[in-house]
Amino acid sequence: MYQWRKFEFFEEKSGGKSSIPPEVTGRIECCSGGKGRIIVGCDDGTVNLLDRGFKLIYGFQAHASCVLFLQLLKQRNYLVTVGEEDQTSSHLSSICLKVFDLDKMQPEGSSTTGPVCVQILRIFTNQFPEAKITSVLVLEEAPPILLISIGLDTGTIYCIKGDLTRERITRFKLQVESPVVPSDSSITGLGFRVEGQALQLFAITPTSVSLFSLHESPPRRQTIDHIGCSNNAVTMSDHLELIIGRPEAVYFYEIDGRGPCWAFDGEKRFLGWFRGYLLCIIGDHRSSSNTFNIYDLKNKLIAHSMVVGEVSHMLCEWGYIILIMSDRKVLFIGEKDMESKLDMLFKKNLYNVAINLVHSQQADAVATTEVLRKFGDHLYGKQEYDEAMSQYIQTIGHLEPSYVIQKFLDAQRIYNLTNYLEQLHDAGLASKDHTTLLLNCYTKLKDVEKLNKFIKGEDSVSEQRFDVETAIRVCRSAGYHEHAMYVAKKAERHEWYLKILLEDLGSYQEALQYISCLEPNQAGVTLQEYGKILIEHMPAETIEILMKVCTDMGVSKKVRSNGAHLSMLPSPMDFINIFVHSPQSLMDFLERYVSQVKDSPAQIEINNTLLELYLSNSLTFPSISRENAGDDPSLKANSSGNKTKKSSESKDIKEESDRQERYRRGHVLLKSAWTSDMEHPVYDVDLAIILCEMNAFKDGLLFLYEKLKLYKEVIACYMQAHDHEGLIACCKKLGDSTMGGDPTLWGDLLKYFGEIGEDCSKEVKEVLTYIEKDDVLPPIVVLQLLSKNACLTLSVVKDYIARKLEQESKLIEDDKKSIEKYQEGTTSMRKEIDELRTNAKIFQLSKCTACNFTLDLPAVHFMCMHSFHLRCLGDNEKECPECAPEYRAVLDTKRNLEQNARDQDRFFQQVKSSKDGFSVIADYFSKGIVSKTANDTGST
């Protein structure tokens, strides 16, 4: 062991100035530590409790004579002592075992002071003969059960088990294997080993190591070695290993036999175990001094070594190793902090030792990382890059990766950097930048095998070992398209997969196949983004996929026709932007969609778009036209003129044919989307009118104006086209009042012919026929309108004027007769009124008009020449019962006329709807309504 390095990981804390307090007068025979106290037993029978400063807390007389052994229990604050008492009888042994409760003190005034003694036992009885006690050990099983083992110089072990405070105990004894020399049978050490339900006891003699299985009945003995040790050279490790010290070595024992052996020379006077360290006090035969060594067996180093005097006792408490010397001095030896120990090792460049140290002492991650970092820096400075990287890799998760990466960015150390980045990804701690850097390393090294393993390894994508988008981007930029597509497909990044296929590889067919395998919603999203380029290169196949997405052709026809189901599918209008350079494909797609889906939620928008396509002059966008016209001018110059002319004519004919076919489809769509039984059309009427006007689509305009009952706009279309036959036919259809038409259209037509400035005698004669039939215009207005056309002669209107004059003459004659009749009636009424005012009225009736009996008094005579008995009139004496109904009817008529005079809306409605508005006004004046109203208004 002379090769082991020596370090000063421990130091003396109190400077050697502590000592046993003078109040402790006896010689210390035994000691124990625990619960922040040191307890010493003396040869005068006293037990003394000392604090951390080795000051006396209190002492008490535990035994009459010497205290041989004592042990402070860990679970309960009990003290177990073995000592000598006064011998009162020759048949009774003077050795007693006592149990003190340190939490309970004797009451004041008692004969003794100190803690209460809860039990006193005689160790030796008739069944357990007396012998010299060489070792005592107490085990707390399940409180209050104690197991006390007492080793004797005869090789026997007395065991006392149970609740000592209640004297519920059992006694039994164990016997080690008898040695050849009886003096070698003394029990020099004991050690308990508890593992689960197994309870075992090590017993050591100078010549053997025995193991008793106390959990078996009866306890089974097993001799595991035939060498032993002397007193105080026995201890137990933290791992329940038995450790014994002999002059030639220190031996470790498990239950199955001898374990490791450490060849530390010298007489082992004391052995101990402290925080994983082995404590040894080794005697020097040549001098009275001893060497105190602290061994770190894991790291194979001597953590501390110092020369000490004669040691009487060694124990551990308060985190210190405490040595009680024979001269009553006390040494406190404490472990240095981790930082101090590491600094000591760093100064000597002992990084391996430092690493082993932090691992063995289970230091925190920060301390471990710092040691590994410094070791890595040390190796890096020595240009041992592989070894340095192995240290840096162990810091992953605690050390900032950029610290390591910056050191290895040089191209010559790219292999080390690649290794570090791989480990970083395996730990799941890589960022996007780390993934980028690693993939760049692979591509620079052209290490396809490692790239395959990284990208295509088992669950490499699903475990999220790297950022998917970063991996795709780097592989794509480096030209590793296959790897980029693999990652995109496995991570279900459809947009990246398609971007590589379309933009990098130009694999349009494969892209379409990939889209067709996606869910409808995902397919719709990808088509919105990449449909434009697909439509340009493979329009038919793209439209087929669009139909599948928008109509869900995989389901039954009954389900597809369901409105709720359609509302969940993408609308064709969502994809209209992808046809920006392909209007013909857009028209084909919408026509196919409309043929399969009749009640789409977006039907109006679809029809509007179709109308725009149908009614446009050309389906070729300017950008496409420029591409088609972008041929070499020199080639055009060399082309023959006849060939160019023929090609142009053929192209014009085809374009005109296509345009007429689109117009026909547009007309069909206008009619089918607004049938006679539909209140509103399934398209935007205003948009349709604008499209028809912009593209001079006459048939569409006529249909829309007629559906909107804009008859004047209908004939205006014919007027603009100078279509006289169509104009007259239209007026026949729309101007027939019996069919709900507007007769005033004939007046507009006559005005048109009057202003046209050309000979249209035939048409005017036909128009005058309908004007005369419905009496649309007065003759004077007809003459005024036609007089503006210098090409028309009087012969055109001769017959019409003659007939109208004849009608007017007849009407005048009838009016004259009516006037004469009204004048005669008026004269007669005025004469009668005058007679009533100036002449007396003689009533000659002799009978009552009501009852036809002879008239007698009292009687009532009315000016209408009716006479009545007063009794026949009843309560109504002011009006004639015979004439009253007729008079009331006249009054009601007059009242209604006055009320109607105040209803202006009705008056104007009658004027507007009448063929002869003047006659309505004349009727109001003839009844005195207008003048009466004017007078009333003026008076108010």
Side-chain angles (χ1 to χ4, degrees), residues 48 144 232 324 366 403 428 432 451 494 553 715 763 827 837:
N48 299 277
N232 297 325
I324 301 177
V366 176
Y403 178 86
K432 296 180 181 179
L451 184 60
H494 311 301
M553 292 186 293
I715 63 173
E763 289 84 355
T827 303
R837 288 178 175 175

Side-chain angles (χ1 to χ4, degrees), residues 129-397:
E130 184 174 358
K132 182 181 178 180
I133 298 176
T134 56
S135 178
V136 176
L137 188 61
V138 181
L139 172 67
E140 293 180 272
E141 291 190 10
I145 304 301
L146 297 180
L147 175 58
I148 302 173
S149 297
I150 303 171
L152 307 177
D153 62 351
T154 60
T156 303
I157 303 172
Y158 290 169
C159 295
I160 303 172
K161 184 177 181 180
D163 184 359
L164 272 68
T165 59
R166 300 182 181 181
E167 295 188 2
R168 297 177 180 175
I169 60 175
T170 58
R171 294 172 182 256
F172 60 92
K173 57 185 176 181
L174 307 171
Q175 182 66 49
V176 299
E177 185 177 354
S178 299
V180 178
V181 180
S183 61
D184 293 337
S185 63
S186 175
I187 304 296
T188 57
L190 296 170
F192 282 112
R193 180 187 179 98
V194 180
E195 281 187 309
Q197 299 296 324
L199 173 59
Q200 294 165 316
L201 175 65
F202 287 104
I204 301 92
T205 68
T207 58
S208 68
V209 177
S210 301
L211 178 67
F212 294 92
S213 298
L214 302 182
H215 56 281
E216 299 181 10
S217 182
R220 179 172 58 87
R221 186 191 67 190
Q222 176 185 1
T223 302
I224 59 178
D225 204 351
H226 290 284
I227 60 173
C229 65
S230 60
N231 288 334
N232 297 325
V234 178
T235 189
M236 296 290 292
S237 72
D238 294 336
H239 302 293
L240 302 180
E241 298 169 303
L242 174 68
I243 307 172
I244 66 172
R246 292 180 58 82
E248 72 279 4
V250 174
Y251 299 91
F252 282 68
Y253 291 90
E254 294 281 353
I255 58 175
D256 54 353
R258 186 192 297 180
C261 171
W262 305 92
F264 301 138
D265 292 335
E267 180 186 358
K268 311 304 183 298
R269 296 183 176 178
F270 284 93
L271 276 188
W273 191 264
F274 176 75
R275 295 179 179 176
Y277 294 101
L278 176 64
L279 311 180
C280 287
I281 296 179
I282 302 175
D284 189 352
H285 297 289
R286 294 169 295 179
S287 65
S288 61
S289 62
N290 300 301
T291 302
F292 175 49
N293 288 339
I294 302 176
Y295 297 99
D296 184 346
L297 302 180
K298 288 185 178 179
N299 300 314
K300 296 184 179 180
L301 57 87
I302 300 175
H304 183 69
S305 180
M306 63 181 295
V307 177
V308 295
E310 186 177 353
V311 179
S312 62
H313 300 282
M314 180 176 68
L315 68 161
C316 300
E317 185 62 30
W318 304 305
Y320 295 125
I321 303 168
I322 302 173
L323 302 181
I324 301 177
M325 315 305 289
S326 298
D327 58 0
R328 301 175 66 88
K329 289 184 178 180
V330 180
L331 295 181
F332 287 84
I333 301 172
E335 186 177 9
K336 294 181 180 179
D337 57 78
M338 180 63 72
E339 185 176 358
S340 300
K341 292 189 288 186
L342 293 177
D343 288 341
M344 186 186 308
L345 295 173
F346 293 155
K347 290 177 182 179
K348 298 179 181 180
N349 292 331
L350 299 175
Y351 294 98
N352 282 320
V353 178
I355 292 173
N356 295 332
L357 181 65
V358 294
H359 285 161
S360 63
Q361 297 196 359
Q362 298 179 350
D364 57 23
V366 176
T368 305
T369 302
E370 182 65 15
V371 174
L372 293 170
R373 183 191 66 80
K374 289 188 176 183
F375 190 22
D377 292 347
H378 173 71
L379 294 172
Y380 184 88
K382 294 169 63 177
Q383 297 184 354
E384 297 178 6
Y385 300 119
D386 294 340
E387 293 78 4
M389 180 53 72
S390 65
Q391 302 304 319
Y392 288 133
I393 287 175
Q394 298 182 60
T395 67
I396 290 177

